[in-house]
mmCIF file of all heavy atoms in Angstrom:
data_model
loop_
_atom_site.group_PDB
_atom_site.id
_atom_site.type_symbol
_atom_site.label_atom_id
_atom_site.label_comp_id
_atom_site.label_asym_id
_atom_site.label_seq_id
_atom_site.Cartn_x
_atom_site.Cartn_y
_atom_site.Cartn_z
ATOM 1 N N GLY A 90 138.487 130.026 156.551
ATOM 2 C CA GLY A 90 137.370 130.991 156.527
ATOM 3 C C GLY A 90 137.773 132.422 156.805
ATOM 4 O O GLY A 90 138.889 132.863 156.491
ATOM 5 N N GLY A 91 136.837 133.133 157.440
ATOM 6 C CA GLY A 91 136.961 134.584 157.610
ATOM 7 C C GLY A 91 138.212 135.009 158.358
ATOM 8 O O GLY A 91 138.784 136.069 158.063
ATOM 9 N N ARG A 94 141.134 135.268 155.940
ATOM 10 C CA ARG A 94 140.930 136.460 155.082
ATOM 11 C C ARG A 94 141.262 137.735 155.860
ATOM 12 O O ARG A 94 142.046 138.566 155.416
ATOM 13 C CB ARG A 94 139.466 136.457 154.619
ATOM 14 C CG ARG A 94 139.032 137.646 153.811
ATOM 15 C CD ARG A 94 137.507 137.744 153.794
ATOM 16 N NE ARG A 94 136.981 138.075 155.101
ATOM 17 C CZ ARG A 94 135.920 137.494 155.663
ATOM 18 N NH1 ARG A 94 135.261 136.560 155.040
ATOM 19 N NH2 ARG A 94 135.531 137.864 156.863
ATOM 20 N N ASP A 104 136.904 134.846 165.207
ATOM 21 C CA ASP A 104 135.980 133.869 164.652
ATOM 22 C C ASP A 104 136.795 132.646 164.203
ATOM 23 O O ASP A 104 137.188 132.540 163.049
ATOM 24 C CB ASP A 104 135.292 134.562 163.460
ATOM 25 C CG ASP A 104 134.134 133.764 162.947
ATOM 26 O OD1 ASP A 104 133.846 132.703 163.516
ATOM 27 O OD2 ASP A 104 133.541 134.216 161.953
ATOM 28 N N ASP A 106 137.607 129.127 163.000
ATOM 29 C CA ASP A 106 137.059 127.940 162.329
ATOM 30 C C ASP A 106 138.225 127.019 162.010
ATOM 31 O O ASP A 106 139.180 127.437 161.342
ATOM 32 C CB ASP A 106 136.382 128.325 161.004
ATOM 33 C CG ASP A 106 135.050 129.016 161.229
ATOM 34 O OD1 ASP A 106 134.234 128.467 161.976
ATOM 35 O OD2 ASP A 106 134.851 130.116 160.665
ATOM 36 N N ARG A 176 134.746 123.578 148.224
ATOM 37 C CA ARG A 176 133.300 123.720 148.446
ATOM 38 C C ARG A 176 132.929 125.131 148.900
ATOM 39 O O ARG A 176 131.770 125.432 149.121
ATOM 40 C CB ARG A 176 132.849 122.716 149.507
ATOM 41 C CG ARG A 176 133.281 123.093 150.925
ATOM 42 C CD ARG A 176 132.868 122.076 151.952
ATOM 43 N NE ARG A 176 133.441 122.311 153.261
ATOM 44 C CZ ARG A 176 132.878 123.035 154.212
ATOM 45 N NH1 ARG A 176 131.732 123.624 154.000
ATOM 46 N NH2 ARG A 176 133.464 123.180 155.382
ATOM 47 N N ARG A 177 133.917 125.985 149.032
ATOM 48 C CA ARG A 177 133.660 127.299 149.647
ATOM 49 C C ARG A 177 133.144 128.319 148.640
ATOM 50 O O ARG A 177 133.147 128.084 147.453
ATOM 51 C CB ARG A 177 134.906 127.777 150.384
ATOM 52 C CG ARG A 177 135.093 126.884 151.601
ATOM 53 C CD ARG A 177 136.306 127.094 152.392
ATOM 54 N NE ARG A 177 136.322 126.070 153.422
ATOM 55 C CZ ARG A 177 135.810 126.212 154.633
ATOM 56 N NH1 ARG A 177 135.300 127.356 155.017
ATOM 57 N NH2 ARG A 177 135.839 125.209 155.490
ATOM 58 N N ASP A 178 132.696 129.450 149.191
ATOM 59 C CA ASP A 178 131.996 130.409 148.331
ATOM 60 C C ASP A 178 132.911 131.241 147.434
ATOM 61 O O ASP A 178 132.727 131.298 146.224
ATOM 62 C CB ASP A 178 131.065 131.313 149.166
ATOM 63 C CG ASP A 178 131.712 131.839 150.440
ATOM 64 O OD1 ASP A 178 132.937 131.653 150.613
ATOM 65 O OD2 ASP A 178 131.001 132.454 151.260
ATOM 66 N N ASN A 182 137.643 133.523 150.697
ATOM 67 C CA ASN A 182 137.253 132.701 151.847
ATOM 68 C C ASN A 182 137.743 131.262 151.709
ATOM 69 O O ASN A 182 137.378 130.407 152.503
ATOM 70 C CB ASN A 182 135.722 132.658 151.981
ATOM 71 C CG ASN A 182 135.163 133.961 152.521
ATOM 72 O OD1 ASN A 182 135.905 134.764 153.062
ATOM 73 N ND2 ASN A 182 133.870 134.162 152.349
ATOM 74 N N ASP A 222 124.190 127.185 145.235
ATOM 75 C CA ASP A 222 123.724 127.766 146.497
ATOM 76 C C ASP A 222 123.556 129.279 146.294
ATOM 77 O O ASP A 222 124.514 130.043 146.388
ATOM 78 C CB ASP A 222 124.759 127.478 147.596
ATOM 79 C CG ASP A 222 124.361 128.098 148.925
ATOM 80 O OD1 ASP A 222 123.321 128.797 148.978
ATOM 81 O OD2 ASP A 222 125.084 127.881 149.916
ATOM 82 N N THR A 224 122.317 131.440 148.108
ATOM 83 C CA THR A 224 122.554 132.349 149.252
ATOM 84 C C THR A 224 123.910 133.037 149.075
ATOM 85 O O THR A 224 124.169 134.083 149.658
ATOM 86 C CB THR A 224 122.534 131.630 150.616
ATOM 87 O OG1 THR A 224 123.602 130.703 150.670
ATOM 88 C CG2 THR A 224 121.221 130.933 150.874
ATOM 89 N N ARG A 225 124.765 132.430 148.249
ATOM 90 C CA ARG A 225 126.080 133.046 147.990
ATOM 91 C C ARG A 225 125.937 134.406 147.311
ATOM 92 O O ARG A 225 126.837 135.232 147.385
ATOM 93 C CB ARG A 225 126.939 132.104 147.137
ATOM 94 C CG ARG A 225 127.351 130.867 147.897
ATOM 95 C CD ARG A 225 128.059 129.871 147.012
ATOM 96 N NE ARG A 225 128.301 128.620 147.730
ATOM 97 C CZ ARG A 225 128.572 127.467 147.138
ATOM 98 N NH1 ARG A 225 128.646 127.402 145.833
ATOM 99 N NH2 ARG A 225 128.784 126.390 147.873
ATOM 100 N N ARG A 228 125.730 136.639 150.134
ATOM 101 C CA ARG A 228 127.036 136.670 150.802
ATOM 102 C C ARG A 228 128.025 137.522 149.991
ATOM 103 O O ARG A 228 128.783 138.305 150.549
ATOM 104 C CB ARG A 228 127.592 135.255 150.994
ATOM 105 C CG ARG A 228 126.775 134.406 151.959
ATOM 106 C CD ARG A 228 127.328 132.981 152.049
ATOM 107 N NE ARG A 228 128.679 132.934 152.575
ATOM 108 C CZ ARG A 228 129.001 132.955 153.870
ATOM 109 N NH1 ARG A 228 128.051 133.004 154.773
ATOM 110 N NH2 ARG A 228 130.254 132.907 154.253
ATOM 111 N N ARG A 231 127.386 141.096 150.537
ATOM 112 C CA ARG A 231 127.762 141.480 151.907
ATOM 113 C C ARG A 231 129.275 141.715 152.004
ATOM 114 O O ARG A 231 129.720 142.737 152.532
ATOM 115 C CB ARG A 231 127.319 140.373 152.874
ATOM 116 C CG ARG A 231 127.703 140.597 154.305
ATOM 117 C CD ARG A 231 126.843 139.776 155.239
ATOM 118 N NE ARG A 231 126.970 138.353 155.069
ATOM 119 C CZ ARG A 231 127.913 137.596 155.641
ATOM 120 N NH1 ARG A 231 128.831 138.176 156.401
ATOM 121 N NH2 ARG A 231 127.957 136.305 155.456
ATOM 122 N N TYR A 232 130.066 140.792 151.462
ATOM 123 C CA TYR A 232 131.530 140.983 151.539
ATOM 124 C C TYR A 232 131.952 142.177 150.699
ATOM 125 O O TYR A 232 132.797 142.968 151.103
ATOM 126 C CB TYR A 232 132.268 139.726 151.068
ATOM 127 C CG TYR A 232 132.117 138.564 152.021
ATOM 128 C CD1 TYR A 232 131.530 137.378 151.618
ATOM 129 C CD2 TYR A 232 132.539 138.663 153.343
ATOM 130 C CE1 TYR A 232 131.379 136.318 152.498
ATOM 131 C CE2 TYR A 232 132.395 137.611 154.225
ATOM 132 C CZ TYR A 232 131.807 136.441 153.798
ATOM 133 O OH TYR A 232 131.651 135.407 154.673
ATOM 134 N N ARG A 235 131.012 145.277 152.665
ATOM 135 C CA ARG A 235 131.739 145.411 153.930
ATOM 136 C C ARG A 235 133.201 145.765 153.703
ATOM 137 O O ARG A 235 133.769 146.635 154.361
ATOM 138 C CB ARG A 235 131.683 144.105 154.724
ATOM 139 C CG ARG A 235 132.395 144.265 156.065
ATOM 140 C CD ARG A 235 132.916 142.970 156.627
ATOM 141 N NE ARG A 235 131.849 142.037 156.935
ATOM 142 C CZ ARG A 235 132.072 140.781 157.313
ATOM 143 N NH1 ARG A 235 133.295 140.332 157.437
ATOM 144 N NH2 ARG A 235 131.065 139.976 157.556
HETATM 145 P P1 ATP B 13 132.203 136.714 158.513
HETATM 146 O O1 ATP B 13 133.321 137.660 158.631
HETATM 147 O O2 ATP B 13 131.026 137.268 157.803
HETATM 148 O O3 ATP B 13 131.849 135.962 159.755
HETATM 149 P P2 ATP B 13 133.105 134.190 157.576
HETATM 150 O O4 ATP B 13 133.922 134.023 156.348
HETATM 151 O O5 ATP B 13 133.667 133.724 158.852
HETATM 152 O O6 ATP B 13 132.775 135.709 157.512
HETATM 153 P P3 ATP B 13 130.869 132.370 157.927
HETATM 154 O O7 ATP B 13 129.472 132.578 157.476
HETATM 155 O O8 ATP B 13 131.151 132.220 159.365
HETATM 156 O O9 ATP B 13 131.675 133.559 157.298
HETATM 157 O O10 ATP B 13 131.415 131.120 157.155
HETATM 158 C C1 ATP B 13 132.706 130.564 157.394
HETATM 159 C C2 ATP B 13 133.281 130.073 156.098
HETATM 160 O O11 ATP B 13 132.463 129.010 155.569
HETATM 161 C C3 ATP B 13 133.332 131.100 154.978
HETATM 162 O O12 ATP B 13 134.515 131.853 155.050
HETATM 163 C C4 ATP B 13 133.273 130.257 153.746
HETATM 164 O O13 ATP B 13 134.537 129.737 153.458
HETATM 165 C C5 ATP B 13 132.386 129.105 154.159
HETATM 166 N N1 ATP B 13 130.978 129.311 153.778
HETATM 167 C C6 ATP B 13 129.979 129.836 154.539
HETATM 168 N N2 ATP B 13 128.823 129.838 153.880
HETATM 169 C C7 ATP B 13 129.075 129.294 152.668
HETATM 170 C C8 ATP B 13 128.274 129.009 151.516
HETATM 171 N N3 ATP B 13 126.977 129.314 151.478
HETATM 172 N N4 ATP B 13 128.885 128.433 150.471
HETATM 173 C C9 ATP B 13 130.192 128.117 150.502
HETATM 174 N N5 ATP B 13 130.995 128.365 151.536
HETATM 175 C C10 ATP B 13 130.462 128.938 152.611
#
Side-chain angles (χ1 to χ4, degrees):
R94 176 198 68 224
D104 191 1
D106 286 309
R176 73 182 171 91
R177 290 175 185 268
D178 45 9
N182 286 344
D222 178 357
T224 64
R225 291 173 187 161
R228 294 177 63 83
R231 177 160 63 85
Y232 291 119
R235 182 205 296 173

